Amino acid sequence: MNAPAPATSLTRTAPGALPLLGHGLQLARSPLPFISSLREHGPVVRIRIGPTPAYVVTDPALTRKVLVTDAAHYAKGGKIIDALRVFFGDGLATIADGDAHLRNRRLMQPMFNKAHIADRGDAMIEQVAEMVGAWPQARPREVYEDMNEVTLAAFLVALFGADLPDHLEGEFTALMPEIMKGTIRQTILPPWVTRLPLPANRAHAQRVARLRALIDQAIEHRASRAAGSSSGTETASGTETASGTETASGTEAAPDAAGCPHAAAREQQRGLFDTLLTAENPLTRRQLQDEAITLLTGAIETTGTTLAWTLYEISRHPRIERRLREELATVCGDRPLRYGDLEHLPYARQVLQEAIRKYGPAWLVTRTATRDIDLGGHLVPRGADVVWSPYLHQHDPDVFADPGAFDPDRWTPEKVSATRGSFLAFGDGRRKCIGENFAWAELQIILATILRTWHSFELTSPAPRPQAVVTVKPDRLTMVFRRKPTPAQPTSDNPSQEVIEPEPGPDTTPTPSGS
């Protein structure tokens, strides 16, 4: 192995370090201002997390070297990854670099190609429309919690199929928010605290064990459905009928010319996980659990956070909301949303991309140097944590003018090329997020469904403040959602008179959209 080129630049240490704590207090009290301030001190800046030094990369070109060009010398690791590995196991997001990672990524890649996602798109739309349409009208709702719940439900449909038993879906939905809170706690506390037999630690371990048991039940459900389908006694989507196959909605899919049920009806009931269950060299049960946990967590925390911030920004910018609604009306008219519509909603994607840029959602990611290495003239010693921040890069004023402003027009085709190297929300290189295609689809489905279902929504809490934990989440965000007022039938005394019906009272639940 060649020795690294000699370092030529002085690596500055960020000011404000305290004895024993280092910069830990600044990271805890004001993480986003602190991480953004490091840009002033050079392209590579040394900080201390407790007594341990870490090297923060503030130059996007050097971050690309860490993630792409010299990725072999920066292993997936560091404090955050080590803490998450306790929960995720060896899922794709946390497994160490090497043959196992490469094998698992290749095995899972087909799950996330666009055609595979499209097969599940309409089932996701149906699930999201049912949930969003069931919200009570004009009552304040915790938007961050709602977005996490909707994203989880949509992803469960995609992951395990549209026929996942209700009791499993319900328990996943109840369990995951508490698990996420416990996981965040594990990442910010010293490792020795998380190993103590404290009530919170025991409760978290019990929830994780229960989650693994639920995943096992979902896997068994998928395996039994696949076995029934292959034997011909039962299809993956329901029981066989004389005229076709019963779908999740209770309707029958007409047989094709050969008398067989439509493949699309069966495919809708299958999940992404079927790809792993039917692989030629399948994963072990423990590996399947690890991957399911990784996928579920990634689908909830980042996607839910992005949607919550998106709704907040839309509520502040009537012009943006008007453009979104006009785009949807042009594409969909009066009919329900279809999966094929997503590619014709470019402005919706721009709005979502600007929310991802402004709010992260990931703000701190770590790697570990596998040898002494020169990084842009700065010597990084072997074993040191190397830190990069999507939030920092996506708030670089040299790339994004007025980075604190919310401007979806940054992402028009003629402007996007100038920002490509600094938009790193999905990572880059061989560890780039495998679920990026799915994330965009899910984000667009949920945003479009909310806009199609609800005529208006408004903020009822004070303006939320960003909280940087694992993601950059709102500290408090409540909104009320209202439907379009419906004209009543004209009265016999005055046929031209239109009376606006009052909004539902506190005991009235509106009919879900599309029912």
Side-chain angles (χ1 to χ4, degrees), residues 337-393:
L337 179 72
R338 300 171 186 158
Y339 185 80
D341 296 331
L342 302 187
E343 62 181 306
H344 303 296
L345 301 172
Y347 188 67
R349 177 153 173 160
Q350 287 175 216
V351 171
L352 289 162
Q353 188 157 5
E354 179 65 353
I356 294 173
R357 180 206 65 81
K358 184 176 178 180
Y359 295 104
W363 71 282
L364 197 68
V365 189
T366 56
R367 295 289 189 270
T368 301
T370 60
R371 66 178 180 94
D372 292 350
I373 191 167
D374 184 282
L375 181 58
H378 299 263
L379 179 62
V380 177
R382 177 181 179 181
D385 280 0
V386 178
V387 177
W388 63 280
S389 170
Y391 183 92
L392 182 150
H393 292 318

Side-chain angles (χ1 to χ4, degrees), residues 6-180:
T8 58
S9 301
L10 175 66
T11 305
R12 296 180 60 183
T13 298
L18 299 175
L20 300 179
L21 296 177
H23 297 93
L25 196 60
Q26 290 163 283
L27 282 167
R29 287 183 173 177
S30 54
L32 299 178
F34 173 69
I35 203 74
S36 297
S37 73
L38 298 181
R39 189 183 297 109
E40 304 169 9
H41 304 294
V44 179
V45 184
R46 185 188 296 108
I47 64 173
R48 286 196 297 110
I49 304 175
T52 307
Y55 294 78
V56 181
V57 187
T58 69
D59 182 344
L62 293 183
T63 296
R64 181 171 174 81
K65 287 179 68 69
V66 172
L67 300 179
V68 182
T69 312
D70 296 335
H73 306 311
Y74 299 96
K76 194 72 178 272
K79 183 181 185 299
I80 292 176
I81 298 299
D82 292 342
L84 291 175
R85 190 173 284 132
V86 174
F87 171 47
F88 290 155
D90 283 328
L92 204 59
T94 53
I95 191 172
D97 295 312
D99 292 342
H101 168 260
L102 186 61
R103 171 186 174 271
N104 290 2
R105 188 176 179 95
R106 285 175 175 169
L107 186 63
M108 296 177 66
Q109 193 73 55
M111 292 171 58
F112 294 102
N113 67 45
K114 292 182 179 180
H116 212 54
I117 296 167
D119 287 335
R120 288 137 187 91
D122 289 331
M124 291 170 61
I125 290 172
E126 182 179 342
Q127 176 70 25
V128 171
E130 181 180 342
M131 293 187 69
V132 169
W135 293 344
Q137 183 172 211
R139 294 185 193 173
R141 300 193 62 82
E142 295 286 348
V143 175
Y144 176 70
E145 295 178 6
D146 278 340
M147 293 303 97
N148 282 343
E149 184 174 339
V150 173
T151 55
L152 172 60
F155 193 63
L156 285 172
V157 167
L159 190 65
F160 294 119
D163 63 345
L164 188 69
D166 289 343
H167 74 278
L168 287 181
E169 181 179 336
E171 197 165 352
F172 271 121
T173 302
L175 195 59
M176 285 304 299
E178 293 304 316
I179 284 182
M180 287 308 305

Side-chain angles (χ1 to χ4, degrees), residues 130 132-139 453-454 481-483 503-513 515:
E130 181 180 342
V132 169
W135 293 344
Q137 183 172 211
R139 294 185 193 173
T453 305
W454 297 99
F481 295 80
R482 293 187 173 89
R483 297 184 187 276
E503 292 176 355
D507 295 326
T508 303
T509 301
T511 303
S513 175
S515 61

Side-chain angles (χ1 to χ4, degrees), residues 351-488:
V351 171
L352 289 162
Q353 188 157 5
E354 179 65 353
I356 294 173
R357 180 206 65 81
K358 184 176 178 180
Y359 295 104
W363 71 282
L364 197 68
V365 189
T366 56
R367 295 289 189 270
T368 301
T370 60
R371 66 178 180 94
D372 292 350
I373 191 167
D374 184 282
L375 181 58
H378 299 263
L379 179 62
V380 177
R382 177 181 179 181
D385 280 0
V386 178
V387 177
W388 63 280
S389 170
Y391 183 92
L392 182 150
H393 292 318
Q394 291 164 193
H395 284 75
D396 187 343
D398 291 337
V399 180
F400 301 100
D402 193 8
F406 188 81
D407 180 12
D409 287 331
R410 300 181 200 273
W411 305 105
T412 57
E414 60 271 16
K415 294 180 180 179
V416 70
S417 60
T419 64
R420 198 178 308 278
S422 294
F423 183 78
L424 292 165
F426 295 96
D428 205 346
R430 63 187 183 185
R431 302 299 297 239
K432 187 174 184 178
C433 176
I434 196 173
E436 180 178 359
N437 287 336
F438 183 89
W440 284 119
E442 187 177 32
L443 286 165
Q444 286 189 277
I445 285 171
I446 296 173
L447 177 60
T449 302
I450 291 172
L451 289 168
R452 296 281 288 171
T453 305
W454 297 99
H455 176 67
S456 65
F457 46 88
E458 63 185 69
L459 188 70
T460 55
S461 61
R465 294 176 299 177
Q467 280 187 330
V469 192
V470 174
T471 62
V472 180
K473 61 186 283 294
D475 63 340
R476 178 73 191 279
L477 177 56
T478 63
M479 288 182 169
V480 293
F481 295 80
R482 293 187 173 89
R483 297 184 187 276
K484 186 175 183 178
T486 304

